[in-house]
Every structure is written in structure tokens, then in C-alpha cells.
């Protein structure tokens, strides 16, 4: 159980390093470009694989977020979003007017519920 919580925490704490929470720009594609299989592709295979991995991570984090919204308190939900944005426990504590230790307690409670304990 402890290792599952550790892995989930690591995933959440590192999410911001490879993913942006902000809405990104959509790529404008003309219908002719979209359905043209003979044209050159602007993306190499490594970029395509990285994009696929990021999309898989987004699906995973969305599933976690759904559960956070179902079981977490409003305060825990906001703390969770702060973690996804890369804030540390001390910064989150300053925002909520509590100690970093109290933030850890709240996040651990949330993770325990997410993991089914």
C-alpha cells in the first residue's frame, strides 16, 4: 500500500514537468491536409511517440481527477490541482494558511481514499 501511494504521489508531483495544465493551441488543419496520405508529414516518429505517451498520461490523470472530484473535499481538490501545477507542499500551505505538514496529511488522506483504503 505504501509503495502504491509513493508511486501515485511521484506521478502527481512530476506531472507538471512534462504536461501543461493550461489549454494549448489547436493545430489548424484543412480537410484536404487531413485526408491527404501522399503529402509529407511534419512530425517525426519520436515526436509522435512522445505525443502518444503524453496523451496516455492525460487519460490517466483525467481518470485520477474524476475520482479526486468524487471523493475529495474542496480543499483537497484544490491542493491536488496545485500539486499538478508543480507547487510544493510549503507553497500550497502558504496559499491555504496551513503548514506544509498539514498539506501532506490532507494529500495522504486523499491518496488513501483514491487507492481504496
Amino acid at each position: 500500500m505504501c509503495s502504491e501511494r509513493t508511486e501515485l504521489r511521484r506521478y502527481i508531483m512530476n506531472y507538471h514537468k512534462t504536461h501543461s495544465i493550461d489549454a494549448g493551441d489547436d493545430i489548424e488543419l484543412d480537410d484536404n491536409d487531413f485526408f491527404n496520405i501522399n503529402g509529407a508529414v511534419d512530425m517525426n516518429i519520436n515526436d509522435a511517440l512522445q505525443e502518444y505517451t503524453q496523451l496516455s498520461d492525460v487519460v490517466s490523470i483525467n481518470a485520477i481527477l474524476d475520482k479526486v472530484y468524487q471523493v475529495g473535499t474542496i480543499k483537497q481538490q484544490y491542493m491536488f490541482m496545485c500539486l499538478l501545477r508543480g507547487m510544493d507542499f510549503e507553497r500550497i500551505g502558504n496559499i491555504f494558511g496551513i503548514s506544509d505538514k498539514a498539506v501532506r496529511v490532507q494529500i495522504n488522506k486523499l491518496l488513501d481514499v483514491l487507492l481504496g483504503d
Side-chain angles (χ1 to χ4, degrees):
M1 159 48 206
C2 204
S3 65
E4 287 178 348
R5 185 196 301 162
T6 302
E7 287 302 314
L8 183 56
R9 183 190 312 226
R10 184 176 297 127
Y11 178 73
I12 293 164
M13 299 292 285
N14 291 319
Y15 186 81
H16 73 281
K17 293 178 182 176
T18 55
H19 300 82
S20 173
I21 303 293
D22 302 326
D25 295 332
D26 287 336
I27 298 172
E28 293 292 327
L29 284 180
D30 183 327
D31 286 347
N32 293 328
D33 292 333
F34 183 78
F35 292 106
N36 182 2
I37 61 173
N38 296 322
V41 177
D42 291 338
M43 183 180 292
N44 70 33
I45 190 68
N46 291 332
D47 291 341
L49 287 172
Q50 181 178 3
E51 187 171 313
Y52 175 77
T53 301
Q54 288 180 349
L55 287 174
S56 297
D57 283 348
V58 168
V59 170
S60 298
I61 205 67
N62 283 342
I64 294 169
L65 278 170
D66 286 344
K67 195 160 184 183
V68 166
Y69 291 139
Q70 290 172 7
V71 301
T73 65
I74 295 294
K75 187 182 254 187
Q76 288 171 334
Q77 293 170 15
Y78 284 119
M79 287 180 183
F80 186 84
M81 290 304 296
C82 289
L83 286 175
L84 286 182
R85 290 178 182 262
M87 294 181 194
D88 62 16
F89 291 119
E90 184 178 351
R91 169 103 165 101
I92 296 169
N94 289 336
I95 291 169
F96 288 94
I98 59 177
S99 70
D100 60 331
K101 185 176 179 180
V103 173
R104 287 180 196 278
V105 168
Q106 287 297 314
I107 293 301
N108 285 338
K109 284 182 184 179
L110 179 62
L111 295 178
D112 287 344
V113 173
L114 291 177
L115 294 170
D117 282 354

